[in-house]
Amino acid sequence: MAEVNKNEKRRSDNKPRGKREDRKPVDDGLDKVRVDVRLVQKVIKGGRTPSYSALCVVGDRKGRVGIGTGKAREVANATEKGFNAAKKNMITVNLAGTTIPHEITMKYGASIVKLMPAKQGTGVIAGGAARPVLELAGIKDITAKNHRSNNKINTVRATFEALKTLQTAEQVAENRGKKVEEL
């Protein structure tokens, strides 16, 4: 019988757990960006309890993007939770070459984001928190404008919702029961 170290931690299936350093992160081919980290504090009887909230974006730069938020007592844990939430919340964006098929305006909270297609070679002209969402979605030529609020969470969510509702001409024609030429 194999000797077992009594101090070694065991899982429920009675196998050794292994050290944290030995675990390798899984490479899933996604690029990750942490857009924002906020210090939030819960006031309790004994004082304040600090924790961190992280807003994260993941994407493969080929038409798939996701957003997520994580909250924990440490920045690293909050960021990891945010990336995991973003991976679960991924969508496929309808692209027209290197840009989007049509102009769209989306409101989330007080933030209004306007996305406009651009000619090839224009690049990503977007400010604030909208830029990482557009870049990780794989959009290379676009113009975006944030109106009213520059709250990063609402701006990212408005951009995400706008990308989610984009439709190609073929999809619009199919929904209306017509041919693309009739539109």
Side-chain angles (χ1 to χ4, degrees):
M1 193 163 206
E3 287 191 31
V4 178
N5 184 355
K6 295 188 190 307
N7 296 330
E8 191 176 71
K9 292 190 178 183
R10 298 209 164 255
R11 299 187 311 201
S12 60
D13 57 357
N14 208 24
K15 292 181 183 172
R17 224 176 72 165
K19 294 183 179 175
R20 185 164 290 175
E21 300 88 41
D22 296 340
R23 296 184 213 148
K24 293 182 176 72
V26 178
D27 183 24
D28 46 13
L30 297 174
D31 292 335
K32 303 173 183 180
V33 174
R34 186 178 66 203
V35 178
D36 190 26
V37 175
R38 293 183 175 194
L39 172 65
V40 291
Q41 294 186 339
K42 178 181 177 183
V43 180
I44 56 173
K45 187 170 89 174
R48 296 188 186 116
T49 306
S51 64
Y52 296 91
S53 174
L55 175 63
C56 303
V57 181
V58 299
D60 62 358
R61 297 184 191 268
K62 295 175 189 167
R64 292 182 63 231
V65 68
I67 62 170
T69 56
K71 191 173 172 185
R73 288 280 187 96
E74 296 177 11
V75 176
N77 294 342
T79 303
E80 191 61 36
K81 286 181 182 181
F83 286 139
N84 290 337
K87 286 179 194 174
K88 293 175 187 172
N89 192 23
M90 289 191 78
I91 60 164
T92 301
V93 180
N94 293 314
L95 299 176
T98 61
T99 187
I100 56 175
H102 57 86
E103 184 176 304
I104 187 165
T105 303
M106 186 60 63
K107 181 178 182 217
Y108 193 96
S111 292
I112 299 174
V113 174
K114 185 175 184 179
L115 304 178
M116 297 162 282
K119 293 180 184 177
Q120 192 168 4
T122 304
V124 178
I125 301 173
R131 178 179 282 272
V133 179
L134 298 171
E135 286 177 346
L136 293 179
I139 301 170
K140 293 180 176 56
D141 302 306
I142 191 168
T143 305
K145 181 68 183 161
N146 300 342
H147 292 289
R148 285 177 49 181
S149 173
N150 57 4
N151 177 315
K152 289 182 181 180
I153 295 173
N154 287 346
T155 302
V156 166
R157 290 209 172 125
T159 307
F160 187 73
E161 291 298 319
L163 293 177
K164 193 190 289 189
T165 57
L166 287 174
Q167 292 183 326
T168 60
E170 292 80 17
Q171 291 170 328
V172 173
E174 185 180 318
N175 291 344
R176 295 181 187 178
K178 296 183 177 185
K179 296 179 182 172
V180 178
E181 297 81 32
E182 296 175 12
L183 294 178

